[in-house]
Amino acid sequence: MPRDVRMRGFAARADVEEVERFLAERVRALPPEPVALADAIGRVLAEDVHSAVDVPSFARASMDGYAVHGADTFGASDYAPLPLRVIGEALPGRPFAGAVGPGEAVRTMTGAPVPAGADAVAPAEVCEERAGLVSVREAVPPRRHVGARGEDVRAGERVLAAGRRLRPQDAGLLASIGLAEAACHRRPKAALVMTGDELLAPGHRPEGARIVDSNSLVLGGLALRDGAEVVAVERLPDRRERIRAALLRDDADVLLVSGGSSVGQEDFAPRLVAELGTLDFHGIAMRPSSPAGVGRIDGRLVFLLPGNPVSCLCAYEFFAGPALRALGGRPRAWPHRRVRLPLARKIGSAIGRVDYVRVAIEHGRVVPLATSGASILSSTVRAAGAVIVPRGLEGVPEGAEVEVLLYDDAPLTEGAP
Ligand code: AMP
Ligand code: MG
């Protein structure tokens, strides 16, 4: 029987790295599914893609003008324009059916197939057509203004590798080689289970002893950022049976449980996870979020996240985020942009513990938001990002350069408090 730690405290705390290693060893990318290209942007390719075709599949005019046999134009100049007989027209999608013989030309537009016999395009700017003849005022050597068959993509070529997070232009390229779908890793499904008798659903005004559940919004947004699909948001009172039922839901790959993760008398989730599956970690040497836990029920990962909003966000970032990204085939590393800047004030920590410190950036220096406890959600709104103090350090002195994990993708211009 798992030890009931409620109202007794943690006997020992696991190291952050130990939990990270545990997750890295166990969490593998979900299997591929075919995804229509328009929906595949932002998804992760599960397999290499090779082209079965040349693109373009024909020699293509890259200028408006006249398709000619280049050698015919040698010697042409402003003083000695060379007349060629115009025998037809080639347009994009409407090729000229015949062949271009000596002394002949075909009027052609950008994107049209270059007709047989022609090997160059004399641009319209150096040509003048009158009464079935075009006079060319400049020599065009063979291949000039002609895109070779396969110049974009060659048949057999690997156009994208497994693991690629598809950009819009990637989807475009896949379409150009004739595909309708891409084999992408399935997106992980996350269910959000918010626990606490005090919680009101977002949209209510906080009153008396009740507070609004803000964690579901934060977790939902982070899970989306990390490529997950949020399949459910439950808000439950601190009742063992209700939480038990939520832990048994089988429609998600990952359960994000907020609140009741610690050792208080109402903290049912850790013991329930231990009973229903395995509670691999409970209590982690970090600040905030030390009452976090990680477990598994029927192959599903369960993250026990403390209810305090900053702890909840922090525990998500350290453990749930990497796992969701890895399930979706993304790199497990934190996705934040990073900057290195000197510290305006020292950060205190303790050897043996990892600290997640919210910081502002002022005048090119990193300012720890020292006064903010784990319950102060607005500190994460004021912050530009976070600095992580590793386990082996007692702190970081003023002036030392630190790496800031930025909350924003692009530099903030407006709207910052
Ligand atoms: P707990 O982890 O359940 O002991 O909760 C710790 C603190 O976080 C308490 O002050 C809770 O009221 C608060 N809290 C719990 N759940 C949420 C939530 N979903 N949104 C915002 N605050 C919460
Ligand atoms: Mg609670």
Side-chain angles (χ1 to χ4, degrees):
M1 211 49 204
R3 197 176 87 94
D4 190 348
V5 292
R6 283 182 299 156
M7 298 314 279
R8 275 198 248 164
F10 293 101
R13 287 184 168 82
D15 286 330
V16 166
E17 295 88 337
E18 211 182 314
V19 185
E20 288 173 332
R21 213 175 317 118
F22 171 89
L23 291 167
E25 280 163 8
R26 278 165 188 78
V27 181
R28 292 284 164 264
L30 294 166
E33 63 182 5
V35 180
L37 291 183
D39 302 323
I41 295 163
R43 299 281 300 265
V44 180
L45 264 187
E47 296 162 5
D48 290 353
V49 180
H50 292 83
S51 179
V53 296
D54 283 332
V55 179
S57 57
F58 53 90
R60 181 166 63 184
S62 54
M63 291 282 278
D64 296 335
Y66 293 82
V68 299
H69 187 60
D72 280 359
T73 67
F74 289 166
S77 73
D78 282 342
Y79 307 105
L82 195 116
L84 297 171
R85 198 155 59 82
V86 180
I87 59 167
E89 196 170 62
L91 299 171
R94 285 157 59 194
F96 176 71
V100 177
E104 293 178 341
V106 164
R107 192 182 312 115
T108 190
M109 304 301 145
T110 304
V114 173
D119 60 7
V121 172
E125 292 85 333
V126 303
C127 297
E128 200 171 321
E129 184 181 340
R130 197 180 306 141
L133 285 182
V134 60
S135 46
V136 180
R137 294 191 307 274
E138 210 175 278
V140 280
R143 294 197 293 279
R144 178 68 54 87
H145 305 312
V146 174
R149 171 175 181 148
E151 80 166 353
D152 195 346
V153 177
R154 290 204 166 283
E157 186 185 323
R158 183 176 79 172
V159 293
L160 287 170
R164 171 79 163 198
R165 185 145 156 231
L166 294 173
R167 303 168 174 172
Q169 58 265 48
D170 297 339
L173 186 71
L174 295 177
S176 80
I177 64 171
L179 300 183
E181 297 171 333
C184 299
H185 291 290
R186 183 165 73 69
R187 296 174 67 188
K189 296 187 167 87
L192 275 43
V193 180
M194 308 292 109
T195 71
D197 289 335
E198 71 280 32
L199 298 183
L200 295 166
H204 289 81
R205 183 199 288 261
E207 239 192 319
R210 320 276 318 259
I211 65 161
V212 179
D213 155 37
S214 57
N215 288 345
S216 63
L217 285 156
V218 178
L219 292 173
L222 290 169
L224 278 184
R225 178 199 70 187
D226 289 329
E229 189 186 333
V230 176
V231 293
V233 182
E234 287 199 68
R235 224 163 272 109
L236 304 177
D238 291 306
R239 281 195 26 222
R240 195 176 180 282
E241 281 319 303
R242 298 289 302 278
I243 297 168
R244 184 175 190 279
L247 289 172
L248 286 172
R249 52 182 314 145
D250 59 2
D251 56 352
D253 303 294
V254 170
L255 293 180
L256 302 177
V257 182
S258 149
S261 74
S262 189
V263 295
Q265 66 181 17
E266 299 292 285
D267 294 343
F268 300 111
R271 198 172 159 78
L272 280 167
V273 173
E275 284 169 21
L276 300 170
T278 56
L279 180 61
D280 300 293
F281 297 98
H282 188 212
I284 301 173
M286 63 195 298
R287 192 169 75 179
S289 317
S290 79
V294 177
R296 288 165 295 165
I297 298 174
D298 290 336
R300 299 184 298 277
L301 282 166
V302 185
F303 293 93
L304 302 178
L305 310 168
N308 265 322
V310 182
S311 303
C312 183
L313 180 149
C314 171
Y316 174 93
E317 290 283 38
F318 271 91
F319 310 118
L324 286 174
R325 290 190 293 274
L327 284 168
R330 298 188 188 197
R332 65 184 66 242
W334 292 38
H336 305 70
R337 269 192 325 131
R338 292 154 194 252
V339 287
R340 294 189 65 85
L341 292 169
L343 258 187
R345 272 204 306 278
K346 74 164 189 165
I347 297 176
S349 178
I351 289 180
R353 182 183 84 201
V354 171
D355 276 44
Y356 175 90
V357 183
R358 287 135 286 156
V359 299
I361 296 176
E362 288 169 13
H363 311 297
R365 287 155 71 86
V366 178
V367 182
L369 301 176
T371 53
S372 45
S375 58
I376 309 302
L377 179 56
S378 60
S379 68
T380 63
V381 174
R382 279 194 304 277
V387 168
I388 293 169
V389 184
R391 183 160 60 95
L393 296 185
E394 253 187 316
V396 189
E398 179 186 333
E401 205 166 82
V402 290
E403 186 174 62
V404 182
L405 300 160
L406 296 168
Y407 289 141
D408 295 303
D409 290 339
L412 259 196
T413 47
E414 283 170 48

